[in-house]
Amino acid sequence: IKPGSMLAFGVFDKELYNYIQNDQATLQISNNGVTETIVGNIPQNHGHGQIHGAEFQVTYFYDFLPGALNGLGTDFNVTVLETRGTQNTSSSVYDPVQTGAARLKLPLEQLSRYSYNATLMYNKYGFDARLAYNWRSRYLMAASASNVQAPAYMEDYGQLDASLLYTLNAHYKIGIQAVNLTGAKSVIDIDERDNWYYGTQGNTSSALVYKHNWTLSDKRISLVLRGTF
């Protein structure tokens, strides 16, 4: 576009082999002569997975604006993914007898279908400021959560962060950083719908989806002294 600004677009198709996924397993634990059988998650290599999608990014500085305003800039990027390959450990996730039987296809773990980052920037007179919002859509955390024997999902999550740094000299900057200004919560839900198991992510009743737990990372504000040598 012009010096300091950027416009980029890309498409990709990745084939994964022997990727690692946490699988439900029955374990024998012995202690002081007592042996117990427990169900837990252990990492194991799997077969063939696929990731394909597209990404777009634009970074632009508004240096045509008058005076102090010409230090403003924006950065925006978005990614859209389609994944498949993850397997659930049971064709009936609440029937332990079927554990290890016919496996059902799910999206790959830890990957959101949609994600974006939007940043407002200012860089002038020694000040470097950022206000950034990062968002990702619902994604599969675990194909077989050990405590419920069902797929567990992290719900949509967005977080607002900010920073302000001032350049003292060629080596040092001082400032403040703030994380999760909106106090966003991470919410995990359990999805019992068969359509999710088969990857159609379909049109069945949401009554079969229930919230499992909530996590609040809280707001964090830090004073920063940064050195570059």
Side-chain angles (χ1 to χ4, degrees), residues 5-210:
S5 296
M6 179 183 69
L7 176 65
F9 176 77
V11 294
F12 51 89
D13 187 357
K14 299 181 179 181
E15 304 289 326
L16 305 178
Y17 295 91
N18 296 317
Y19 63 87
I20 297 175
Q21 175 191 320
N22 286 324
D23 271 352
Q24 190 179 111
T26 301
L27 307 173
Q28 300 286 333
I29 303 297
S30 298
N31 187 35
N32 291 328
V34 177
T35 299
E36 297 287 349
T37 299
I38 65 170
V39 176
N41 279 354
I42 61 174
Q44 298 188 75
N45 287 100
H46 277 248
H48 178 213
Q50 294 177 306
I51 306 173
H52 54 269
E55 53 190 358
F56 171 81
Q57 179 176 0
V58 57
T59 303
Y60 194 82
F61 283 94
Y62 303 91
D63 51 8
F64 57 86
L65 295 175
L69 293 178
N70 63 23
L72 283 172
T74 53
D75 180 76
F76 179 78
N77 65 76
V78 61
T79 302
V80 181
L81 298 177
E82 182 71 31
T83 74
R84 56 179 174 268
T86 301
Q87 300 168 333
N88 186 256
T89 57
S90 174
S91 57
S92 175
V93 296
Y94 292 103
D95 184 359
V97 176
Q98 298 186 50
T99 298
R103 292 167 175 262
L104 307 174
K105 297 294 184 180
L106 290 160
L108 292 177
E109 293 178 346
Q110 307 298 322
L111 295 176
S112 294
R113 176 169 293 181
Y114 306 105
S115 60
Y116 72 83
N117 305 281
T119 305
L120 177 64
M121 305 177 287
Y122 185 81
N123 198 330
K124 196 174 179 67
Y125 305 128
F127 290 99
D128 184 0
R130 297 287 188 274
L131 182 65
Y133 186 75
N134 308 296
W135 180 88
R136 63 184 300 183
S137 64
R138 187 174 187 260
Y139 65 91
L140 179 67
M141 286 191 62
S144 303
S146 61
N147 55 339
V148 291
Q149 300 184 21
Y153 290 83
M154 180 71 75
E155 293 190 353
D156 298 354
Y157 182 82
Q159 179 172 306
L160 181 66
D161 303 329
S163 67
L164 175 62
L165 297 175
Y166 179 72
T167 301
L168 298 173
N169 52 46
H171 299 291
Y172 293 101
K173 293 183 178 182
I174 190 172
I176 188 170
Q177 291 182 333
V179 177
N180 196 15
L181 286 170
T182 55
K185 295 179 181 178
S186 301
V187 180
I188 298 174
D189 66 50
I190 304 300
D191 196 329
E192 300 177 19
R193 298 174 297 179
D194 285 346
N195 279 3
W196 276 100
Y197 303 158
Y198 286 98
T200 60
Q201 301 178 12
N203 301 314
T204 55
S205 171
S206 61
L208 296 175
V209 179
Y210 60 90

